[in-house]
Amino acid sequence: MARLLETRGLTKRFGGLVANEEVSILLERGEIRGLIGPNGAGKTTFVNLVTGIHAPSAGDIRLDGESVLGLAPFEIARKGLLRTFQVCRLFGNLSVFENLLLPYMARGAKGSALDEGIGRARELLELTTLTRLAKLPAKGLSGGQRALLQVCCGFMIPELKCYVLDEPFAGINPVIKDSIIDLILHENRARGVSYLIVSHEMAVMRRLCSKITVMIEGRVVAEGPLEEIARRDDVITAYLGKALT
Amino acid sequence: MIFTSELFVQTLIAGVMIGVLYALMALGITFIYSIVKMINWAMGEFYMIGSYLQFILVVHLLGPEFWWVAVPLSALGVFLIGILLEPVLIKPMFVKALERRDDYATVVTIALLLLLRNLATALSGPYQRTPGSVLPTITIGPLPQDGARVAAFVLALVAIALFQFLIKRTWLGLALRAASQSRIGVQTSGVDVLRLDQLAFGIGVALAGLAGALLAPVFLVFPTDGVVTTVKGFEIIVIGGLGSIPGALVGGLMLGIVESLGAAFISSPYQNAYGFALVLLVLLLRPTGLFGERTRQA
């Protein structure tokens, strides 16, 4: 399989704090990868580095074999690496429909491409049963609907190659959780979108991800199928604390 | 002062007319703030540039009967100056994550204010000029109104309508509305926010320049002619709420009416004080301004 997203020795220091230390991850095309770790392990920092929100202190990030180091977040987005935010970043005063169209329009779509975008937005609304809310300002949505819409925004981009989802399932009801999972799998099968999913929901991770990366204190400590990882002592210790002996 | 309903109506109309022009100024300030997240303290100087451009075009190039051609050209000129200045003065603050960006923005734009004001004095001298007006006095109902004021009012309304169209109905407007809510969010959607900054700065100062061009025949043209209007612009921002477009419009109208009524029925030398009384009242009752929202800092 071809390499899609690759980081080499990615390091980020905030003053004296090393949030990410020599993180090297290789994501293959079409892969759905989970990223887990206890709070403060540096998962969100890693997501921020990969998507250009923060500049790394050291290391390299490659998308499709091409370094995206030093590119602005919007340039990385236009290369097909999209993300969602843990704290939902929808545009509350824009309508649901406008929220979907914005990332599509940002690519400079004109003329017939525009109609295509509108059609695509309608399709996604249909798929997620949000159609009747299309004209509503996004701030009127429930937490779960917002999370769902946020994930949909990325699927608006035809060039989407790699989708980084930061805690897409946190605090969301099971019905919407299922429709997000269905959407992820659908886009994965239909057009080979790859994912890096940050989540604590092991049940979901088991359903979605063939391979899981574990981060603890800014470093990658384990990588492999969930069953294998769940048996490792260091992972259990980090999550649950040391067993009393 | 004898109170007559005729005088009252005339004063009210005068207040609404000047209020719309104040609103134009406030709109510029609030618009730049909502996108770029900084206050441009040099707004009055862009007003001044607009008034000088109008003066030069009308008196030296086009002739007084073509004042209506000069107005959009002056606004366009200020827009271009804004577009050229932004990458030099404002953009560097946003390319790298700077701490205390607000403080830098304040210092940079106040320096720009001093530079432009003194440049105008050096180039044109301290003289007060006027482009004059060919417009006759227009009678609205039984009441006469200064033609240049009516023209300024009508064109300001047109400009505000165009601005609303741009914001509500175009793709650029969609991106601008999104950027005003989350600069990071809009970037991860693939929008080049620094490019938007440049456009927003240009449009914002062009609104001030337009106010300057429209008011050039009403007030006089001189190097500090933008000061009073800028102060009113900021008063409106406090009244209407920072970052709110309806706030700028409603606040502008309120300020114009209050000033006008105060000057006619209380005492005209204190005209500028009535606005401040209104500001204090709003601050007492609604510290965030009429349309302002309390912001949450994440």
Side-chain angles (χ1 to χ4, degrees), chain A residues 74 78 91-93 98 105, chain B residues 171 177 181 187 190-192:
Chain A
F74 80 93
R78 286 184 191 176
F91 304 105
N93 295 335
E98 286 176 324
M105 291 313 301
Chain B
W171 295 115
R177 275 183 291 148
Q181 289 174 52
Q187 287 201 71
V191 176
D192 181 356

Side-chain angles (χ1 to χ4, degrees), chain B residues 54-265:
Chain B
Q54 177 75 6
F55 174 80
I56 293 166
L57 284 171
V58 166
V59 173
H60 297 296
L61 295 170
L62 298 170
E65 65 274 26
F66 287 111
W67 63 272
W68 53 274
V69 182
V71 168
L73 284 179
S74 302
L76 183 69
V78 176
F79 173 76
L80 291 177
I81 292 170
I83 290 284
L84 290 176
L85 281 178
E86 197 276 347
V88 183
L89 292 178
I90 312 296
K91 191 177 166 191
M93 291 188 280
F94 290 90
V95 173
K96 282 222 170 117
L98 263 189
E99 280 180 49
R100 313 196 66 81
R101 190 178 285 152
D102 293 355
D103 301 358
Y104 277 98
T106 303
V107 172
V108 165
T109 55
I110 287 181
L112 178 66
L113 171 161
L114 294 172
L115 172 74
L116 291 175
R117 202 179 279 181
N118 288 298
L119 202 61
T121 315
L123 291 177
S124 82
Y127 313 109
Q128 300 195 328
R129 301 161 200 267
T130 173
S133 173
V134 291
L135 295 167
T137 302
I138 295 168
T139 313
I140 300 172
L143 310 161
Q145 300 284 353
D146 175 19
R149 270 183 198 249
V150 176
F153 166 68
V154 171
L155 289 181
L157 277 185
V158 171
I160 289 170
L162 281 176
F163 178 78
Q164 285 287 16
F165 179 82
L166 173 82
I167 295 296
K168 298 274 181 205
R169 292 266 174 270
T170 67
W171 295 115
L172 177 63
L174 179 62
L176 287 168
R177 275 183 291 148
S180 77
Q181 289 174 52
S182 169
R183 287 177 66 86
I184 294 211
V186 87
Q187 287 201 71
T188 51
S189 300
V191 176
D192 181 356
V193 87
L194 294 175
R195 186 107 188 85
L196 276 189
D197 282 351
Q198 190 184 12
L199 271 173
F201 191 81
I203 293 170
V205 298
L207 288 170
L210 180 68
L214 289 171
L215 289 176
V218 178
F219 302 135
L220 295 166
V221 178
F222 52 98
T224 53
D225 65 0
V227 174
V228 173
T229 326
T230 309
V231 172
K232 313 250 172 187
F234 282 111
E235 284 175 39
I236 293 166
I237 300 295
V238 177
I239 295 169
L242 187 58
S244 161
I245 290 174
L249 300 178
V250 173
L253 286 178
M254 281 174 67
L255 184 71
I257 292 169
V258 164
E259 272 190 7
S260 191
L261 291 177
F265 296 109

Side-chain angles (χ1 to χ4, degrees), chain B residues 4-15:
Chain B
T4 64
S5 60
E6 202 170 74
L7 182 64
F8 179 77
V9 171
Q10 183 166 23
T11 319
L12 204 62
I13 292 174

